[in-house]
Amino acid sequence: MRKLIILFFIGLAITVSSCRQDFVFEPSTGGLTFSKDTVYLDTVFNTIGSSTYTLKVYNHSDKDIKIPIIQLGKGQDSKYRMTVDGMTGDNNRIFHNVELLAKDSLFIFIEITNNVPNVNPTQFLYTDQIQFDTGANFQKVELVTLIQDAYFLYPKKFDDGTTETLPIGNEEIYGFFLDENDPINGNEYVWGNDKPYVIYGYAAVPGGKTLNVMPGARIHFHADSGLIVGNGATLKVNGDYSTTAALENEVIFEGDRLEPEYSDVPGQWGTIWLTDGSTNNEINHLTIKNATVGLLIDHNDGNYMTIKNTQIYDSSLRGIYAKTAKIKGENIVINNAGQYALSCSLGGAYEFKHCTFNNNWSSSNQLAVLIDNYYKDENNQQVAFDLEQADFYNCIIFGSNQIEMLMLKSTVNPDTNWTAPLFSRCQIKFNNSNNAYTNDPNYAFLNDTGNIIKNGKTDFQSVYKNKLMIGELSAGNGFGTNVGVPKDLINTTRVSPNIDLGAYQHITFPTN
């Protein structure tokens, strides 16, 4: 009997030992989860040596898995280094066939070298990814490091693992409220010019608060990021005229990719959203580059907002998208948008003086200006709004299509007010082929040859380089009248009777 007992335990030990050596690891199916979706590392300038950050990777499945590859996206060229459960892999950057038991986790420790600023002195962010299984089951975690001294604003991560979000209607979006007593950035309701701002997610200004953006401020938005000005909140962009090519007083909103190849790529970030009820908004000397929608103005509180000396370039959808808004604009330039440079939609009240709205987007459907007063509901029925005013003085409305402006008036609800838009001393690209618009009263300006230049030469300096200054050969040279805007966008004085159309007085182009 004793021999049988001994044999039993020996057999059991052998069996257990054999099982321990014969785990079957199946290929990963991409169901990994992570403690963070983005790892933010310290500003390299502010850190002595390299900081170490931790990412935890979870296998919640009931199967032992083998991850074919874990690597840094930039491979051996990456300035990041990592270890995976104590393993160093291939030069701390590439790891093959990493095993992970069922219901288990592994740790990745990430560092960054302290010579990142030497990579590209024009960048203030250095980014990469930790990539898991680069085949069909690809997953990733973003890595972000500041390599210049900048204010870095992003949603907070809470102790329970959740991330700060903003309530928008019935949804939550990745974003955060600005804080006037932030322990790192100080008063986030004043954006100054001492160093740039980098925004991740949507920064929000709550009701009763004012965001003041000071002359010379540089604001950089990551992909799917932007600024929201809430009900009862205010945005004041206090830019000013600059005297040097450094644009020392201009406020610039743009993406966070500063490499030259991204300088005119549309849609790199979201929008500046002035929501329903935002109040007393004022914008002066602001340049917006490469957004999805430059300015989304959503039914401000009944008072006119002002937009002066402002440039909006290369928006993937619309430059200004105003919905039942009230705007007074002077010296505005909008160039190139996937749909409309300027969209005055769902009625509202608008007055534009000395503005240049141009759209050379490579599409047959784009427009420089759209004016409408309705939308169609889920039953395809028109829902109409009052258009109180749409006045354009000394403006250029142009582009690459035969028609660059349309007006869409609701055909239902006769009680809805539609004040016919006014075009005084304007140049408009409009080829009325087959006289399709001849009898439409909204297009009466087409016959007003003394007050309107239909088509004609614009003589822009360089549309594709966003240089919308007009030259001596422009049809708008000297065609304007005094409408109370004494200086142009670059501070040139307008003197009667030599007042030009658009945001600029004409210039003599350099010959080289």
Side-chain angles (χ1 to χ4, degrees), residues 22-254:
D22 293 334
F23 284 120
V24 178
F25 287 88
E26 299 185 3
S28 169
T29 58
L32 301 172
T33 60
F34 311 104
S35 58
K36 303 173 183 177
D37 54 12
T38 302
V39 179
Y40 300 95
L41 287 84
D42 280 345
T43 304
V44 174
F45 283 171
N46 294 343
T47 305
I48 299 174
S50 300
S51 297
T52 302
Y53 288 77
T54 303
L55 175 71
K56 199 168 184 181
V57 182
Y58 300 94
N59 173 19
H60 292 298
S61 74
D62 296 321
K63 297 179 179 180
D64 304 325
I65 63 172
K66 183 179 292 185
I67 307 170
I69 189 167
I70 300 176
Q71 68 176 21
L72 291 166
K74 294 179 180 177
Q76 299 294 355
D77 293 330
S78 180
K79 299 301 178 182
Y80 292 101
R81 303 184 307 274
M82 61 184 180
T83 59
V84 177
D85 263 2
M87 299 181 293
T88 58
D90 185 358
N91 200 25
N92 292 99
R93 289 167 174 82
I94 301 174
F95 301 77
H96 295 280
N97 297 320
V98 178
E99 297 175 350
L100 182 54
L101 296 175
K103 305 296 184 182
D104 203 353
S105 61
L106 59 82
F107 284 92
I108 298 179
F109 296 97
I110 309 110
E111 299 176 330
I112 188 164
T113 58
N114 56 13
N115 65 343
V116 175
N118 298 326
V119 174
N120 185 341
T122 67
Q123 293 180 333
F124 54 87
L125 286 181
Y126 184 78
T127 62
D128 203 346
Q129 299 174 341
I130 303 177
Q131 299 176 344
F132 299 82
D133 189 351
T134 56
N137 300 312
F138 176 78
Q139 293 180 270
K140 62 183 174 64
V141 171
E142 302 287 347
L143 300 175
V144 180
T145 301
L146 280 170
I147 60 174
Q148 287 187 24
D149 196 12
Y151 294 108
F152 198 34
L153 281 60
Y154 56 91
K156 295 180 177 64
K157 189 85 169 184
F158 300 117
D159 293 338
D160 62 0
T162 61
T163 302
E164 186 178 5
T165 58
L166 293 171
I168 303 295
N170 296 323
E171 300 180 359
E172 299 281 334
I173 68 169
Y174 185 64
F176 60 98
F177 286 105
L178 298 174
D179 185 352
E180 57 192 339
N181 295 299
D182 185 83
I184 297 175
N185 301 320
N187 185 0
E188 294 178 343
Y189 290 115
V190 179
W191 291 356
N193 60 11
D194 56 325
K195 51 186 176 180
Y197 287 75
V198 184
I199 313 296
Y200 262 67
Y202 274 85
V205 185
K209 298 293 185 179
T210 298
L211 172 60
N212 279 287
V213 187
M214 306 313 291
R218 300 292 188 263
I219 318 301
H220 301 271
F221 297 93
H222 190 62
D224 302 318
S225 300
L227 174 65
I228 297 176
V229 183
N231 183 9
T234 299
L235 171 66
K236 292 190 182 294
V237 177
N238 306 299
D240 204 348
Y241 170 67
S242 300
T243 59
T244 73
L247 300 176
E248 70 280 1
N249 293 319
E250 184 79 2
V251 174
I252 300 177
F253 287 0
E254 59 182 326

